[in-house]
């Protein structure tokens, strides 16, 4: 059971470039999330999904897009990278979206945009 | 607006006890989580409280007072491996998790 996996671990992008951050979970969780974590700040929700084919915006969705074609995969797309998107990105999943279910996190992707 | 406050940094001595406080103001309340995050790693689940009172789990305990919008995480018999950031997160009325900025705990020998 690998849990939540993310690729790549590190990436440097030039301004205006695009990339996709990959996220896969093998726990058959319905709920999946993308967060960004800036130094000294709390986790900010970018997008989430309650099941295959369903996605919704979180607190900071601008500049990002997601898709959920399968239960396992939830990729995050950056179309035109900007320095403000320099951050650590975490993917997470949970069995349910109700309050008591913990979220399981992937190891993160450290992205620098220059 | 929604807000979660935690101290930015705390220092404690190996073998001692430390209490990390968290106060919250959110639109509704459906539970409070504590996560541990070692430097450069992902957050991992520590505890969940939805009713008032103390939940004990080994060396770690978590307390909640919903009327005061307050929680604390109590760590006993501190070990060097407890050096990490501790994140408080509240589930609001829409079942969204609102995260605090975290408390960096430094353990000294």
């Amino acid at each position: 059971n690998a849990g939540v996996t993310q690729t790549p671990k590190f990436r440097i992008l030039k301004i205006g470039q695009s990339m996709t951050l990959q996220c896969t979970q093998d726990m058959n969780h319905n709920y999946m999330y993308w967060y960004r974590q800036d130094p000294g700040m709390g986790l900010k929700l970018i997008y989430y999904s309650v099941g295959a084919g369903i996605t919704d915006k979180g607190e900071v969705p601008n500049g990002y897009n997601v898709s959920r074609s399968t239960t396992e995969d939830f990729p995050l797309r950056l179309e035109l990278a900007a320095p403000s998107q320099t951050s650590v990105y975490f993917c997470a999943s949970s069995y349910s979206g109700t309050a008591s279910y913990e979220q399981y996190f992937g190891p993160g992707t450290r992205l620098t945009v220059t | 607006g929604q807000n979660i406050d935690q101290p930015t940094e705390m220092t404690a001595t190996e073998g001692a006890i430390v209490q990390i406080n968290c106060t919250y103001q959110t639109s509704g309340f459906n539970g409070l989580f504590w996560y541990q995050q070692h430097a450069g790693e992902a957050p991992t689940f520590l505890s969940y409280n939805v009713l008032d009172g103390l939940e004990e789990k080994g060396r770690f305990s978590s307390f909640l007072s919903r009327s005061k919008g307050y929680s604390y995480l109590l760590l006993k018999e501190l070990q060097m491996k407890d050096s990490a950031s501790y994140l408080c997160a509240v589930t609001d009325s829409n079942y969204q998790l609102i995260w605090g900025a975290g408390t960096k705990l430094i353990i000294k020998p």
Side-chain angles (χ1 to χ4, degrees):
Chain A
N1 220 358
V4 180
T5 57
Q6 291 181 238
T7 57
K9 284 188 167 52
F10 303 92
R11 185 73 187 268
I12 298 174
L13 279 182
K14 293 190 186 304
I15 294 171
Q17 286 186 321
S18 300
M19 76 164 294
T20 299
L21 283 65
Q22 301 291 347
C23 175
T24 300
Q25 54 92 9
D26 63 359
M27 296 175 282
N28 202 31
H29 285 169
N30 286 320
Y31 285 70
M32 295 188 75
Y33 312 84
W34 273 107
Y35 291 97
R36 59 177 289 170
Q37 186 176 38
D38 299 325
M41 305 288 285
L43 291 161
K44 300 291 186 186
L45 183 65
I46 304 171
Y47 271 95
Y48 67 100
S49 170
V50 303
I54 306 169
T55 63
D56 210 345
K57 296 178 180 179
E59 185 182 358
V60 290
N62 291 343
Y64 308 94
N65 275 301
V66 294
S67 60
R68 184 98 182 269
S69 56
T70 66
T71 299
E72 295 78 19
D73 299 309
F74 190 41
L76 177 72
R77 178 86 178 156
L78 282 71
E79 289 296 346
L80 291 170
S84 61
Q85 294 177 305
T86 294
S87 190
V88 180
Y89 291 85
F90 288 104
C91 178
S93 72
S94 64
Y95 174 73
S96 171
T98 57
S100 62
Y101 288 94
E102 68 188 269
Q103 293 184 12
Y104 295 82
F105 285 81
T109 295
R110 281 144 188 82
L111 176 67
T112 302
V113 181
T114 61
Chain B
Q2 312 212 81
N3 195 51
I4 296 183
D5 286 317
Q6 308 177 233
T8 302
E9 187 174 297
M10 299 181 69
T11 302
T13 305
E14 191 177 15
I17 299 173
V18 71
Q19 177 175 310
I20 302 173
N21 295 326
C22 169
T23 57
Y24 62 89
Q25 290 177 311
T26 56
S27 55
F29 177 85
N30 279 305
L32 185 145
F33 290 86
W34 284 97
Y35 282 77
Q36 181 189 59
Q37 185 177 24
H38 284 102
E41 297 184 9
T44 55
F45 170 78
L46 284 178
S47 69
Y48 172 73
N49 294 69
V50 67
L51 300 175
D52 290 351
L54 188 68
E55 295 275 347
E56 297 187 78
K57 193 186 291 186
R59 294 189 299 114
F60 292 8
S61 303
S62 56
F63 171 83
L64 175 66
S65 169
R66 289 172 295 171
S67 63
K68 295 182 179 177
Y70 168 70
S71 173
Y72 67 73
L73 181 69
L74 192 71
L75 291 74
K76 303 175 186 175
E77 301 168 14
L78 286 170
Q79 301 175 9
M80 298 304 292
K81 67 178 182 179
D82 297 330
S83 292
S85 289
Y86 292 85
L87 313 179
C88 173
V90 172
T91 308
D92 70 8
S93 56
N94 294 320
Y95 293 99
Q96 297 286 352
L97 260 185
I98 310 301
W99 294 84
T103 299
K104 182 178 180 180
L105 178 64
I106 300 168
I107 310 295
K108 294 187 174 179

